[in-house]
């Protein structure tokens, strides 16, 4: 960890809340849609929820990947769809939309805008996403070996099994729980699951992971609207206030890290105030079953906390949007009055290298 | 029925050359000569692959340490169906290997039967015949017969490597 431990809580700045969330119905293929066509209905949906129009948004921030689009500056196409004329204040991160949300949160906290539109999208279907993801790795020592995302996750899963922290049966239970939870989520791609015994009879993908331990390959998009202070209160009866949000990163080489632990998650959670009070639910961005084990340990989540009531990324995993969806689903629980305090987590990089933690609550005031 | 979708192949390229610098450059050049180098970190730990900056303190690292050709598997994953460009085209294990003299592990492939692979097993580097200064100069790792792993049988660099000492 290259950063010192956080000390005093952040003070000052304005309270910021999620006031709207929308997402696509995530699917395995969207051959007939461009990325712009994938994201536009979601943007219309999220703006309609607030009654805002694009020209009344103070700041726009998006997350996507040129490696999925197969062309440079691909986000400008989506931005044209949003409407960038007359000139708007906007930014883009080549990261999951959760990090775009973080940038927008900073913008609102500092008073540079009162509202923000955050969106992200990923269309994985044109290529082989598990191979494409090898291109995010160290170009000298890792990428030339083409270790795909499932292989790296399998190394992490083996380390967890060796350490006695999980086993294949418990991992299968996580898969079943997630995909059965997704039966209540009309946007999820995989809804429902065979039982554990059936799953354990199926072949390995990369041992010790079977297909059910891996996320589906998804095309999809998501968007949220953030608003500060009175603007948030005017836009939603139950704003989901962001009490804290922080992100931290670890060394890139998987062989430098203890793959059974996530000190970056714990550090981000501490800075976000996650350990100050218990949670009603948590939305964790753990694309592989074994990664939920790591995150539960880092976040001290016990069985009383509902984890991924939406089904989580095991039920739909649009790369670049799946982290933002965790924040959106967490906010939606508060919007609907189903939870008072929810943890949202997003990850990036191989084997949970980088992690973002946000704490959302139904009561305003006192943002850390 | 959705409309017919037009499609065409797209080759994405990264048409730049990069210099590798004093740490990775030395590591890659070493591989060409069948030598593996690690970098000594701020706390004395030896990192392999070497890092230019310490993963904990971010201090610039300059001291390079030759490592052994043998190592220990710290975790593994069985790859029954190798994918394009991966190190072997027959079933193999992905492994993290802590080379003798290093404190961190290197990712590579292990050419061994499934039943022989376990955490803690001893493995040795199998070099490619023609080496170019790349991580792929290591063709893969292979199991070490127990008799061959006696101290006398180890290559000289292993005996010279510093002992593990996390207390430094």
């Amino acid at each position: 960890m290259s950063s010192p431990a956080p000390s005093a809580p952040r003070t000052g700045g304005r309270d910021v809340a999620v006031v709207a969330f929308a997402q696509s119905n995530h699917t395995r293929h969207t051959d007939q849609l461009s990325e712009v066509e994938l994201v536009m209905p979601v943007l219309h949906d999220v703006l309609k929820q607030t009654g805002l129009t694009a020209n009344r948004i103070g700041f726009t921030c998006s997350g996507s990947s040129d490696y999925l689009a197969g062309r440079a500056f691909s986000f400008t196409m989506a931005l044209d769809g949003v409407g960038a004329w007359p000139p708007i204040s906007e930014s883009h991160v080549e990261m999951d939309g959760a990090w775009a949300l973080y940038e927008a949160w900073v913008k609102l906290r500092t008073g540079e805008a009162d509202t923000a539109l955050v969106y992200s999208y990923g269309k994985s279907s044109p290529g082989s996403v598990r191979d494409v993801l090898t291109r995010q790795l160290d170009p000298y020592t890792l990428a030339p070996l083409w270790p795909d995302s499932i292989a790296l996750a399998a190394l992490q899963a083996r380390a967890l099994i060796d350490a006695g922290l999980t086993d294949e049966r418990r991992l299968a239970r996580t898969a079943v729980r997630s995909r059965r939870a997704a039966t209540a989520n009309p946007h999820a791609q995989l809804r429902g699951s065979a039982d554990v015994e059936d799953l354990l009879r199926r072949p390995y993908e990369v041992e010790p992971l079977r297909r059910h331990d891996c996320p589906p390959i998804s095309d999809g998009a998501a968007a949220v609207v953030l608003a500060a202070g009175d603007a948030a209160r005017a836009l939603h009866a139950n704003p989901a206030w962001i009490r804290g949000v922080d992100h931290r990163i670890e060394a890139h080489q998987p062989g430098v890290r203890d793959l059974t632990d996530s000190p970056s998650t714990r550090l981000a959670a501490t800075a976000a105030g996650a350990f100050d009070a218990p949670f009603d639910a948590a939305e964790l961005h753990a694309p592989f079953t074994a990664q939920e084990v790591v995150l539960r340990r880092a976040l001290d989540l016990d069985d009383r906390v509902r984890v991924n009531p939406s089904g989580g990324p095991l039920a739909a995993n649009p790369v670049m949007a799946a982290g933002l969806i965790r924040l959106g689903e967490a906010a939606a629980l508060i919007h609907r009055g189903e939870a008072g305090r929810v943890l949202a987590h997003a990850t990036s990089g191989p084997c949970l290298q980088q992690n973002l933690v946000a704490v959302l609550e139904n009561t305003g005031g006192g943002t850390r | 029925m959705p409309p017919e979708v037009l499609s065409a192949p797209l080759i994405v390229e990264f048409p730049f050359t990069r210099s590798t610098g004093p740490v990775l450059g030395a590591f890659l050049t070493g591989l060409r000569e069948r030598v593996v180098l690690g970098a000594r970190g701020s706390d004395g730990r030896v990192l392999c692959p070497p890092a230019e900056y310490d993963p904990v303190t971010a201090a610039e690292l300059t001291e390079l340490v030759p490592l052994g050709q043998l190592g220990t598997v710290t975790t593994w994953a069985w790859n029954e169906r190798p994918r394009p460009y991966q190190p072997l085209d027959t079933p193999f294990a992905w492994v993290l290997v802590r080379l003798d003299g290093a404190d961190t592990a290197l990712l590579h492939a292990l050419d061994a039967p499934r039943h022989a692979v376990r955490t803690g097993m001893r493995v040795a580097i199998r070099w490619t015949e023609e080496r170019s200064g790349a991580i792929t100069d290591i063709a893969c790792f292979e199991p070490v017969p127990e008799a061959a792993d006696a101290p006398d049988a180890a290559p000289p660099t292993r005996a010279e490597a510093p002992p593990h000492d996390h207390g430094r």
Side-chain angles (χ1 to χ4, degrees), chain B residues 132-149:
Chain B
S132 60
I135 191 68
T136 45
D137 287 351
I138 297 175
C140 61
F141 283 84
E142 57 191 23
V144 179
E146 281 189 23
D149 197 19

Side-chain angles (χ1 to χ4, degrees), chain A:
Chain A
M1 304 299 306
S2 56
S3 306
S7 50
R10 297 192 192 98
T11 53
R14 306 183 301 166
D15 298 340
V16 175
V18 178
V19 295
F21 167 55
Q23 60 181 317
S24 58
N25 293 331
H26 312 297
T27 55
R28 178 64 183 84
H29 291 284
T30 51
D31 291 348
Q32 72 282 16
L33 298 178
S34 70
E35 286 186 332
V36 183
E37 291 166 322
L38 192 64
V39 77
M40 287 311 294
V42 177
L43 295 179
H44 290 147
D45 182 352
V46 82
L47 289 172
K48 189 176 171 191
Q49 289 178 37
T50 59
L52 292 170
T53 50
N55 61 1
R56 288 180 54 207
I57 292 286
F59 180 60
T60 299
C61 199
S62 59
S64 65
S65 174
D66 287 352
Y67 281 77
L68 294 178
R71 62 172 296 247
F73 290 94
S74 57
F75 74 93
T76 58
M77 307 288 280
L79 195 58
D80 275 343
V82 173
W85 183 266
I88 62 170
S89 170
E90 74 81 37
S91 181
H92 173 263
V93 295
E94 188 82 5
M95 303 185 77
D96 188 289
W99 276 265
L101 182 145
Y102 184 91
E103 183 176 339
W105 174 79
V106 171
K107 206 87 165 172
L108 267 58
R109 289 274 286 165
T110 55
E112 289 195 33
D114 292 327
T115 53
L117 171 65
V118 178
Y119 63 91
S120 64
Y121 53 92
K123 188 171 162 165
S124 297
S125 59
S128 170
V129 70
R130 66 190 278 191
D131 300 316
V132 171
L133 285 171
T134 65
R135 302 301 89 192
Q136 76 178 321
L137 302 171
D138 178 306
Y140 308 105
T141 62
L142 296 171
L145 305 173
W146 292 80
D148 59 277
S149 51
I150 297 177
L152 291 171
L155 288 168
Q156 186 169 34
R158 171 65 60 194
L160 287 158
I161 292 169
D162 282 346
L165 296 171
T166 191
D167 55 44
E168 292 177 19
R169 179 169 299 275
R170 280 187 277 174
L171 295 181
R173 279 194 212 121
T174 298
V176 170
R177 190 208 72 226
S178 298
R179 294 187 178 124
R180 287 185 179 166
T183 53
N185 177 358
H187 302 285
Q189 181 179 347
L190 299 182
R191 283 172 277 173
S193 168
D195 62 28
V196 169
E197 298 305 326
D198 187 8
L199 294 180
L200 288 174
R201 280 193 290 271
R202 298 182 189 178
Y204 290 110
E205 197 63 49
V206 179
E207 186 184 347
L209 298 181
R210 294 177 175 84
R211 191 177 177 127
H212 64 253
D213 294 304
C214 307
I217 298 165
S218 314
D219 292 354
V224 306
V225 173
L226 299 182
D230 289 341
R233 292 180 193 95
L235 288 169
H236 201 290
N238 300 317
W241 298 99
I242 301 172
R243 294 277 291 184
V245 55
D246 194 89
H247 62 91
R248 303 282 166 156
I249 193 165
E250 294 171 48
H252 178 64
Q253 284 286 342
V256 171
R257 298 167 45 204
D258 174 359
L259 296 178
T260 67
D261 197 10
S262 184
S264 57
T265 298
R266 194 174 296 113
L267 196 52
T270 303
F275 301 117
D276 296 352
F279 290 100
D280 300 317
E283 280 284 338
L284 304 182
H285 187 190
F288 295 89
T289 52
Q291 293 175 342
E292 187 178 304
V293 179
V294 179
L295 294 174
R296 278 177 178 268
R297 279 163 46 79
L299 295 165
D300 291 340
L301 297 177
D302 62 29
D303 291 340
R304 286 170 295 184
V305 181
R306 281 190 297 158
V307 170
N308 289 348
S310 69
L314 285 165
N317 188 42
V319 176
M320 311 314 287
L324 180 61
I325 291 169
R326 306 281 72 73
L327 285 141
E329 292 283 9
L333 286 171
I334 290 170
H335 292 161
R336 296 193 299 261
E338 294 173 21
R341 181 175 156 90
V342 187
L343 183 145
H345 160 269
T347 196
S348 183
C351 300
L352 302 174
Q353 185 199 350
Q354 184 173 12
N355 295 284
L356 178 148
V357 175
V359 177
L360 288 85
E361 292 186 349
N362 62 358
T363 50
T367 301
R368 286 176 60 113

